[in-house]
């Protein structure tokens, strides 16, 4: 699936942003979708994931309580509140197909578990 992220930008500390991840020409229903980020000079970090049937979400400690992942009408969103300068990074969404039947697939935040990746969207938090 071809993924398209949007919603990045330049904000001040304490502000909010909502990132979107859509499947070009399709839907992310029944895909497990993860959000990752790469800050300058740092390794890629998995920050959030929604399971394929939406029954489970996962957050890294660095964003827990501030970020919320959701899926509406086949598009996955990452609501980011109380942004900090250390949240500055390129944010990527990733997806992997769910399992056959009504099994909720719950991958971890390891990048190798995801098949498809978007091009990334820049988030800059600065005063």
């Amino acid at each position: 699936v071809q993924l398209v992220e949007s919603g990045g930008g330049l904000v001040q500390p304490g502000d909010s942003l909502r990132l979107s991840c859509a499947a070009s020409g399709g839907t992310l229903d029944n895909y497990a979708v993860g959000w990752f980020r790469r800050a300058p000079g740092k390794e890629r970090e998995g920050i959030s994931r929604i399971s394929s049937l939406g029954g489970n979400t996962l957050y890294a400690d660095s964003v827990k309580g501030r970020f919320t992942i959701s899926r509406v009408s086949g598009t996955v969103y990452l609501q980011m509140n109380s942004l900090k300068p250390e949240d500055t990074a390129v944010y990527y969404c990733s997806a992997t197909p769910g399992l056959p039947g009504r099994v909720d697939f719950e991958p971890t935040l390891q990048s190798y578990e995801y098949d498809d990746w978007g091009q990334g969207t820049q988030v800059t938090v600065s005063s």
Side-chain angles (χ1 to χ4, degrees):
V1 64
Q2 186 175 357
L3 302 176
V4 181
E5 302 105 331
S6 61
L10 171 63
V11 296
Q12 295 187 339
D15 284 352
S16 298
L17 274 178
R18 188 179 75 163
L19 304 183
S20 300
C21 176
S24 179
T27 178
L28 288 175
D29 286 337
N30 206 33
Y31 281 81
V33 176
W35 282 98
F36 292 75
R37 67 185 181 186
R38 176 171 281 156
K42 295 188 177 181
E43 293 187 355
R44 181 168 52 190
E45 174 190 18
I47 57 172
S48 186
R49 183 270 288 140
I50 187 166
S51 59
S52 60
L53 298 183
N56 179 271
T57 56
L58 184 63
Y59 297 95
D61 288 343
S62 57
V63 305
K64 197 173 295 182
R66 299 188 298 123
F67 291 10
T68 303
I69 192 170
S70 63
R71 176 166 40 216
V72 179
S73 300
T75 297
V76 174
Y77 300 94
L78 186 68
Q79 178 67 42
M80 306 187 296
N81 297 330
S82 303
L83 284 162
K84 306 174 182 179
E86 51 263 45
D87 294 318
T88 295
V90 179
Y91 284 69
Y92 302 88
C93 70
S94 58
T96 193
L99 301 173
R102 296 297 293 176
V103 178
D104 202 3
F105 181 41
E106 303 176 4
T108 68
L109 293 174
Q110 297 294 319
S111 58
Y112 67 83
E113 296 193 65
Y114 298 85
D115 296 334
D116 301 306
W117 293 81
Q119 80 288 351
T121 185
Q122 177 71 46
V123 172
T124 303
V125 186
S126 176
S127 55

